[in-house]
Structures are given as C-alpha cells and as structure tokens.
Amino acid sequence: MSLTPVERLDRGELSAHQGDRLKALLTHIYGRNIFYTRKLDAAGVRVTELDLPGDLPRLPITTKAELIADQAAHAPWGTALDRKSTRLNSSPYVI
C-alpha cells in the first residue's frame, strides 16, 4: 500500500498543510455564510490575518445549542446552512 503525499508529511509540514486548508475554508465561507460570518466578527477574528495553526485558539467554538437557537430563529433551516446545497422538497434538519 502506498501513501499519498499528504500522508508522508512530517508533523510540522502536516500542521502547516492543515492550517492552509482551514484558512482556505474560512476564506470561502466568510461573507457567504451568515452564521459563521457573524461568529467570526463577534470574536474579532479577521480571516485574512489568521496564522494557522497557531491562531486556532482564536477561532470561536460553535455549540449545538447555538445551531438549534439559530434554526429556531431563522426557520426552517437557520443561517448556518447553505440553502443552495439542499433539495427544495427536503425537511428541515434536526440537530
């Protein structure tokens, strides 16, 4: 069995790779996802200034209670869900 290039990285390289991937994800969702944009803004996190993985502790934690409250306040799906990826006839998700 051969390993992928990512599986061959040493610990430091893997951490840098994971930090880059997380920053790319945050950059993609910031401004597109109301729920997470608000959370990042409230925590004072500027995605463009993050140095990951070192700044990981600065990222706000999302709780199940927050997702439930958001879904209740913005029925049926809440602001955390990207509605473009859901089926039109689907039921609201339950957390």
Side-chain angles (χ1 to χ4, degrees), residues 14-81:
L14 180 59
S15 289
H17 174 73
Q18 291 170 331
D20 292 344
R21 297 284 309 265
L22 179 56
K23 188 168 183 176
L25 173 65
L26 293 171
T27 299
H28 178 76
I29 66 168
Y30 189 83
R32 289 184 172 104
N33 183 291
I34 297 167
F35 180 83
Y36 289 106
T37 298
R38 286 181 186 157
K39 277 195 71 78
L40 291 167
D41 287 346
V45 174
R46 291 180 181 242
V47 174
T48 57
E49 296 174 2
L50 285 174
D51 182 22
L52 296 168
D55 285 340
L56 194 57
R58 293 184 51 215
L59 296 179
I61 301 297
T62 301
T63 66
K64 181 177 178 179
E66 288 174 304
L67 294 170
I68 291 171
D70 181 67
Q71 185 180 6
H74 305 281
W77 292 283
T79 61
L81 181 66

Side-chain angles (χ1 to χ4, degrees), residues 5-17:
V6 172
E7 293 172 321
R8 292 188 189 120
L9 297 175
D10 66 33
R11 188 67 208 143
E13 293 169 328
L14 180 59
S15 289
H17 174 73

